[in-house]
Amino acid sequence: MSNLNLESNLIENVTFFYPKIKQAVLKYQSETEKEFTVDVLVDKVTAKSWAKAFGKQKPKELDRDEFSDRYGSEHLVDGVDEYYLIKLKKAASYRDKETGALKDIPDQYRPRVFLDDGNGELEDITFTKLVGNGSKGVVQYEVNTNSFGTFGKLLAIKVDELVVVEQGDSVGKFNVLGKVKSLAENPNVNSTPNVAEEKPVDDDSEW
């Protein structure tokens, strides 16, 4: 059972899907502006509570077949026919008031990914590990109110159960040389999306 904690700005016991936190992605219908996003699966009670608190940011409701098509049949829950997902986002860029130029947000304001290190402290794994679909944990948000309404903006996620992202053919093709642990990241490339974090193309503007 998930739980919306309005006092602490947390949604507890959620399942994560398509987290795009390590690298930002283009906003819907934009060729320049980027954002960080994650979809979180919650139960009906939590979804209703969220919709009441954030009327302009209602959860997405999917039936069993829709959820299976979009997120994978391996994530279906026995006996559950309705699935509720909340999309949390954070802008990765802003317009400079003086020049109008698009700039990346300062690093201290970007969302983070944390994992318990086993010693009671949280390790920042934002740039070192990929969070696979089906991972479970807690999402932290910040509340923003403007002329359009009140919204919950992605602040961080804490992973309690990490689903490891399996390496694909990019690693496997070298295994004739021996078992390859992983491929090193190119430090000169910072805008190439990671296949493991890509979302289906049937995204829509209401998210």
Side-chain angles (χ1 to χ4, degrees), residues 101-196:
L102 195 64
K103 295 184 176 181
D104 292 337
I105 61 173
D107 196 54
Q108 65 264 35
Y109 297 122
R110 63 167 295 148
R112 297 285 173 165
V113 181
F114 297 102
L115 181 68
D116 193 315
D117 67 356
N119 296 312
E121 294 185 335
L122 298 180
E123 176 187 358
D124 184 348
I125 62 167
T126 307
F127 306 105
T128 58
K129 293 182 181 179
L130 290 177
V131 179
N133 286 344
S135 297
K136 302 180 186 300
V138 181
V139 62
Q140 182 182 14
Y141 62 90
E142 55 189 348
V143 178
N144 177 264
T145 301
N146 54 37
S147 58
F148 296 101
T150 299
F151 301 88
K153 299 293 185 179
L154 177 62
L155 187 60
I157 67 174
K158 179 173 75 75
V159 181
D160 295 323
E161 297 179 29
L162 177 64
V163 173
V164 178
V165 177
E166 297 294 335
Q167 297 289 346
D169 291 340
S170 59
V171 169
K173 66 183 180 181
F174 298 116
N175 281 347
V176 66
L177 299 172
K179 186 173 181 179
V180 178
K181 183 177 180 180
S182 64
L183 295 182
E185 284 193 37
N186 182 350
N188 300 315
V189 178
N190 56 18
S191 59
T192 303
N194 191 298
V195 174

Side-chain angles (χ1 to χ4, degrees), residues 2 24 26 37 40 44 48-49 61 78-79 88 96 110 118 126 131 133 182-183 188 205-206:
S2 55
L26 288 172
T37 73
V40 295
K44 186 174 182 178
K48 280 189 168 184
S49 298
E61 180 179 350
D78 291 341
L88 288 160
D96 186 280
R110 63 167 295 148
T126 307
V131 179
N133 286 344
S182 64
L183 295 182
N188 300 315
S205 58
E206 67 180 271

Side-chain angles (χ1 to χ4, degrees), residues 6 25 36 57 59 61 64-65 74 86 131 172 185 191 194:
L6 291 171
V25 293
F36 303 100
Q57 190 181 357
E61 180 179 350
R64 190 174 180 85
D65 289 339
E74 68 272 22
I86 299 171
V131 179
E185 284 193 37
S191 59
N194 191 298

